[in-house]
Amino acid sequence: MSFIEYGDTIKDGDTAIVFLGHESMFPVKVQHGSVTQTKYGVIRHSTDLIGKKYGSKVTCSKGGWVFILHPTPELWTVNLPHRTQILYSTDISIITMMLELKPGSIVCESGTGSGSLSHALIRTVAPTGHLYTVEFHQQRAEKAREEFREHGVEHLVTVTNQDVCKNGFGVCSIADAVFLDIPSPWEAIGHAKAALKVEGGRICSFSPCIEQVQRTCLAMEEHGFTEINTLEILLRVYNVRTISLQIPDLGKASGDNSNIGFDSSNPTNQGSPCANPQQGTVQFKSGVPLREMVGHTGYLTFATKS
C-alpha cells in the first residue's frame, strides 16, 4: 500500500479508511489478528479485511456494514491524528497550483506539523520529485518519519528536525518551490531564497494574522522577490433542497375567458394548471447555502524569486 500508488488488495500492515458515511470515517492499521470496533459491530482484520479488495462492502458483527477505502491525501487530510492545526483541501489546492508543482519538482516545506500538506505535495511531485520538510519539534518530526514510512513514501521525502529560521532547509539552490507555515516566516525568507533555484522559484507563506503577512511581504521585498500577492480562500457549500413558494394572486386579466366552460369533472382536464385553483403553492429545487460555514483559515502570500 502506498499513498501515491493504488493497490487493489488489502494487505497486512496497510493503512485503510473505514467509511461509515460522508461525515463519519476513520483510519485503521490493518494487522493480522486485530479487531476494530464500530457502531455497527466488530471488524475482524484477518477475515474481514486482509485479502479483500479496496472499496469492498464489509458486514460487521451487528449486521451493519461499512466500506473499506484505499487511502489518499484527501482522505488522510480529514482523518489524520492532529498534532497541530492543519491545512485542508481548499488551501492545499491553490497552494499546489500557485507554486506550479508537477512530477519531478523539488519542494521545501516548514513546518511539517501533522503532515496534511506534506502528503499532497509528495503525491504531486512523485515519482521523480522530492520533498524536504523541516520540523522544529523533535517528537513531531519523528512521528512524521514513521508515518511516511508506513505510507510507502519515505523515498520521496526527507524530514529534518531543526529551526528553519536559524539553520534553513539544509539544501541550496535546488528547490522549485518553498512553503512556509511557521509563526514568524519573515525570519526564514533569506533561507528560503537560498534553497530556491537560481531564478524563477516560487514561495508561499501561510499566516493566520494580517500583521504576519505585512512583515513577510516587507521581508520578501528586501530579498528581491517579485510578483508578491496575498490571497484568502473561502469555501461556500450549497445544499440542494426542495422548497415551496406561494403563487402570487395577480388577479384576472380583463377579457380573459380561458376558464369559461371549464369542467373539473372532465377527465381530460385533470392535471391542468387550473384544475386546483385553491392549491396556491409551487415546489421547485433551489440551492441554499449552509447556515454555518468555515470562515477565515489564513492568508496565502505568494512571490517569485527574481
Side-chain angles (χ1 to χ4, degrees), residues 16-180:
I17 305 297
V18 179
F19 181 89
L20 293 83
H22 289 290
E23 302 297 328
S24 179
M25 60 184 101
F26 59 89
V28 62
K29 178 71 176 293
V30 179
Q31 293 178 318
H32 186 77
S34 296
V35 297
T36 297
Q37 295 283 349
T38 74
K39 63 181 180 181
Y40 301 125
V42 174
I43 301 173
R44 295 174 176 82
H45 294 198
S46 300
T47 57
D48 297 333
L49 299 183
I50 297 176
K52 300 290 181 64
K53 289 188 176 182
Y54 279 106
S56 297
K57 184 178 179 179
V58 174
T59 302
C60 305
S61 61
K62 293 181 180 179
W65 48 267
V66 299
F67 287 106
I68 307 299
L69 305 182
H70 192 284
T72 64
E74 291 81 8
L75 288 174
W76 187 245
T77 289
V78 296
N79 288 287
L80 58 77
H82 284 230
R83 300 183 288 274
T84 59
Q85 183 58 264
I86 69 169
L87 292 178
Y88 289 92
S89 297
T90 305
D91 289 316
I92 292 174
S93 60
I94 196 71
I95 290 169
T96 303
M97 184 188 74
M98 295 293 288
L99 290 182
E100 302 173 1
L101 302 182
K102 60 187 182 299
S105 295
I106 306 297
V107 186
C108 293
E109 174 197 27
S110 182
T112 312
S114 301
S116 173
L117 176 64
S118 303
H119 282 80
L121 294 177
I122 292 170
R123 197 258 308 272
T124 303
V125 305
T128 56
H130 201 83
L131 172 66
Y132 295 89
T133 183
V134 178
E135 174 56 52
F136 175 79
H137 193 276
Q138 182 178 358
Q139 291 180 331
R140 288 201 292 263
E142 293 174 353
K143 185 61 179 177
R145 289 193 193 98
E146 179 184 344
E147 285 182 350
F148 293 143
R149 184 171 57 254
E150 291 178 352
H151 298 166
V153 297
E154 73 277 8
H155 61 292
L156 295 170
V157 57
T158 299
V159 182
T160 304
N161 173 220
Q162 63 187 30
D163 186 351
V164 69
C165 296
K166 295 180 179 179
N167 304 313
F169 293 94
V171 297
C172 183
S173 302
I174 66 170
D176 297 289
V178 169
F179 176 78
L180 298 174

Side-chain angles (χ1 to χ4, degrees), residues 182-201:
I182 54 179
S184 47
W186 55 89
E187 296 180 1
I189 298 300
H191 294 296
K193 182 179 181 180
L196 286 168
K197 58 187 181 181
V198 176
E199 185 178 0

